[in-house]
Structures are given as C-alpha cells and as structure tokens.
Amino acid sequence: MNVKFAKRLSIAVGAAAMGTVLITGTAQADPPSGQFRELVGVGSDTTQDVLNGLGNVIVDPNGSPNHLLIASYDAVNPSTGVPHECIVVRSGHTCITRPNGSGEGIAALNADIAANAGNLDFARSSSGVTTAGSNLTWIPFAEDAVTAAVKTGSTLPANLTYSATATTNAQKSLYDLNRVYNCLDTNGNPLAAGVFPTINGVTVHPLVPQPGSGTRKFWAQKLGFDATTLPSCVSDHAKDGTQVEEHDGSGLQRTIAADGSEDITPFSIAQYIAQSNSATTGVRNRINGAVLESVNSTAPTTGSPATLNPAFPINRPVYNVVKTSRLTEADIKLAFVNTAANPLTDPNTSKICQNGATITKFGFAQLPAGSCGTTTLTGNS
C-alpha cells in the first residue's frame, strides 16, 4: 500500500465527532467520522474555528481519491465545553489529553515529537515565539485583535484607554486597561490584596482565561503583567469558582456581591464576530451576554456585516506551529508555507493563505502581502 495513503487512513475521529456530513465552509468542530485527513492539529481556542473551516475546504491533491488535508481538534469538547478529555486522533494509537489553549497545544506537540508518537503534526497558537531555538517554527496565517469584554448592562464606559508604551506604574496608572490589570490606584500605587481598581469610579474585577491560553499570554505582554503569577486583583476564575475559558462570556458578572465590582476580560474580536455569525459559520456561540469595548476611541469592528477593524490598537498575528525539520515535507508546505520566489509579488503557495475568504468569514483579517506563510520565527516552546 502507498505509505502516504496508509498514513491518511490512520487518521481517526475524536471523542466528540459530529457525524459524517461535511458542511462546506462551516467550522463543524472536530473532524467528522469516516473522513481521512493528513495533518492533525490541536491547541488555541482562538483559531480552532477558522482552522476547522479551512480544514473543510482545503483538499490534498496527492490523495487517491482527493482527501481533505487538515484535521483540527477543538480546545474543549465541542458539544459540552468540557476540557481535557481523552481523544484518539489517529486510529490504532492511544488517546491523548485534549490540549486546551496555545500553551498546551505546543506542549503536546513537543511531547509528541520527543516520544516519536506520530499523533500530531501542528499546534494552533494565538501567541508568538518567546524562546530562541530551532525545534519549532511559528507560521503566521491571519490577523486578530483583542479587546476587553464586559457584561451587557455594565456601567463601565464603552471606551477604555490603553498605552502600548507605558512601563512604569506611574505611566500605567494613566490608562484604564494598564492600570486595572496591574492592580494600581489612579496615582500608580499598588493596591493591597483584596482591593480592586476602578475606572471612572466603578470598581473593576479583572479576569483572564485559563493557564496556557495564548490570549492570556498575549494580554499580559501587552499590558505588562505576569501571565503566570497574576497580580493580586486579577483572577482566572469566575464568581462561581469555575475556570474562565477563552472567548466565553459565561463567567462575566455585572456585580460581585462582596464588593460590587464589575467583571472585565480579554476577548478575541475575530472569535466574537465568528460566534455572532454562528448560523453561517457553525461556530458554537459562547458570547453569553458579553459586549466588546472600544479602546482609545477605536471600535473593535467596522462595516455591516461587521469585520475586524484594522485600526484597532491591540492586534496580533496568529500562527500554526510545526517542527522545523518538517518544513520541507510536501503536505506541511502545501498547507502552511509560502514558497513563492518573491513573496511580495508572486502568488502565495500556501493553501491556508490562499483561502482568504474563509479567514475573513471567521472574523480574522488577512495578513499583508508577504507575511502569510513565512517561516522565519523559530523557538522551542
């Protein structure tokens, strides 16, 4: 039997597969039962849906007959939202713990490489490289932006301020988001444990997603706090004690009984758009009453239907991460890598980069010419 085809046959469905009917262009969560796909990926909640959508339209032309190329597994169970269940991604292999977020996805890919297990081919990541090295390569494919979300009816102002250059406490205290997420008073003094910051006199309870979340890491980098050891007023658990999940408004509360504070949490604008259009994207709507804030008088979306505002000040590329030594493999190149001789002028050769309509359908913006599918960003974790 052809070895490449045999590998394709080994790809299985996860524990939460949603049937055998392919709905072109929708996210449709984990790969449907009975389909054989070449490349298996896990990780970021932010990019799971756009990768599902891309996976449903990108064909591997080397298949016999043609097969879809990308199998992407959600960060949590796509039906129940339960994290960390055991999923089988290739038939005949033992199950792996479903990675929840960019950090866990990259860790799972590294562990798979170290064990030569053959389960995973790529990890989804919404945060960039932090460690020098050459074991893994971060390949950008789309642009996202992140803003603060509050609960419907919040008394917080609809526009918040932010600085990309504030580094000292005195500087951070001048801007709403920098001050709140660094637990400072309006004079730049650190607040005592159990005391919450304020915006326009409203007490704020700042939240972040679960550990390992790429959005948590990105938000911390932008606002200048430690994503691992959170500031005293910042929490990754909601009022009821449940873990805050990325881009899920269910944990947001207008008031917290003990102190009357209002919750605020980072939310991917692309995810918000895709969830708002769940009838056409197939994305599970987890907005649950969350409302996006403007930042520095810039709205998070523009136009009708809404698209990501390219002028939004807190933006980021998002990535697919692969083992650097596999960049020359045919299927890896076909899916992720732009091998055009002149990336600025020649047509992009990456199947993902060619599918701009799917990328924008799921709320993301296309990267500038020459940026999508580059392989210059390397690291170990």
Side-chain angles (χ1 to χ4, degrees):
M1 179 183 287
N2 179 282
V3 174
K4 192 172 188 307
F5 186 61
K7 181 182 177 186
R8 214 178 261 111
L9 284 174
S10 71
I11 294 183
V13 245
M18 297 181 68
T20 59
V21 178
L22 175 63
I23 305 172
T24 303
T26 61
Q28 208 184 341
D30 291 353
S33 175
Q35 288 187 357
F36 306 115
R37 307 192 187 193
E38 183 70 22
L39 303 174
V40 177
V42 294
S44 169
D45 176 288
T46 303
T47 63
Q48 66 182 23
D49 300 307
V50 68
L51 258 295
N52 292 338
L54 289 164
N56 286 343
V57 297
I58 295 177
V59 172
D60 180 358
N62 300 314
S64 179
N66 286 350
H67 292 291
L68 294 172
L69 183 60
I70 296 169
S72 186
Y73 288 81
D74 282 10
V76 298
N77 182 297
S79 298
T80 66
V82 173
H84 297 139
E85 64 185 353
C86 210
I87 56 173
V88 176
V89 297
R90 293 194 195 274
S91 60
H93 289 221
T94 58
C95 67
I96 63 170
T97 300
R98 186 191 289 270
N100 185 11
S102 302
E104 290 187 9
I106 291 167
L109 178 61
N110 266 326
D112 192 82
I113 292 168
N116 197 27
N119 281 305
L120 302 176
D121 300 289
F122 70 97
R124 305 183 303 267
S125 179
S126 61
S127 60
V129 182
T130 57
T131 305
S134 59
N135 185 51
L136 301 177
T137 296
W138 274 247
I139 306 174
F141 74 94
E143 184 85 7
D144 186 24
V146 180
T147 189
V150 297
K151 197 73 169 182
T152 300
S154 172
T155 60
L156 290 169
N159 176 65
L160 302 177
T161 58
Y162 157 77
S163 171
T165 59
T167 55
T168 67
N169 284 354
Q171 292 168 342
K172 292 174 181 178
S173 70
L174 302 176
Y175 302 93
D176 299 327
L177 290 174
N178 306 69
R179 181 176 69 255
V180 163
Y181 274 89
N182 285 278
C183 306
L184 303 172
D185 66 19
T186 54
N187 295 314
N189 300 311
L191 297 168
V195 179
F196 292 100
T198 61
I199 297 176
N200 285 13
V202 180
T203 304
V204 179
H205 184 229
L207 300 173
V208 291
Q210 78 280 0
S213 157
T215 297
R216 170 172 168 157
K217 180 179 174 182
F218 170 78
W219 198 243
Q221 289 171 338
K222 286 295 184 180
L223 297 180
F225 66 92
D226 191 321
T228 303
T229 305
L230 296 174
S232 61
C233 71
V234 180
S235 177
D236 57 15
H237 283 75
K239 175 185 176 183
D240 61 3
T242 59
Q243 182 75 65
V244 176
E245 286 289 337
E246 281 187 89
H247 322 312
D248 187 332
S250 59
L252 288 171
Q253 301 288 330
R254 276 196 61 198
T255 61
I256 294 186
D259 52 43
S261 67
E262 297 199 16
D263 287 346
I264 189 171
T265 193
F267 208 114
S268 158
I269 298 172
Q271 266 288 330
Y272 195 93
I273 293 170
Q275 292 181 38
S276 298
N277 298 325
S278 59
T280 55
T281 61
V283 174
R284 182 166 61 94
N285 191 330
R286 311 183 300 282
I287 291 173
N288 294 309
V291 178
L292 300 185
E293 297 279 275
S294 294
V295 172
N296 294 348
S297 299
T298 304
T301 64
T302 185
S304 180
T307 58
L308 190 151
N309 188 344
F312 199 78
I314 310 176
N315 53 67
R316 59 179 175 179
V318 290
Y319 308 87
N320 292 305
V321 183
V322 302
K323 185 179 180 182
T324 301
S325 62
R326 295 188 63 188
L327 287 173
T328 56
E329 292 184 11
D331 286 323
I332 294 290
K333 287 198 298 183
L334 182 68
F336 306 116
V337 181
N338 181 17
T339 59
N342 189 333
L344 289 174
T345 58
D346 294 346
N348 199 306
T349 63
S350 158
K351 289 293 186 182
I352 285 179
C353 297
Q354 290 173 6
N355 273 274
T358 301
I359 287 171
T360 54
K361 176 178 181 177
F362 286 89
F364 293 87
Q366 296 181 66
L367 290 168
S371 297
C372 187
T374 58
T375 59
T376 58
L377 300 174
T378 60
N380 284 322
S381 60

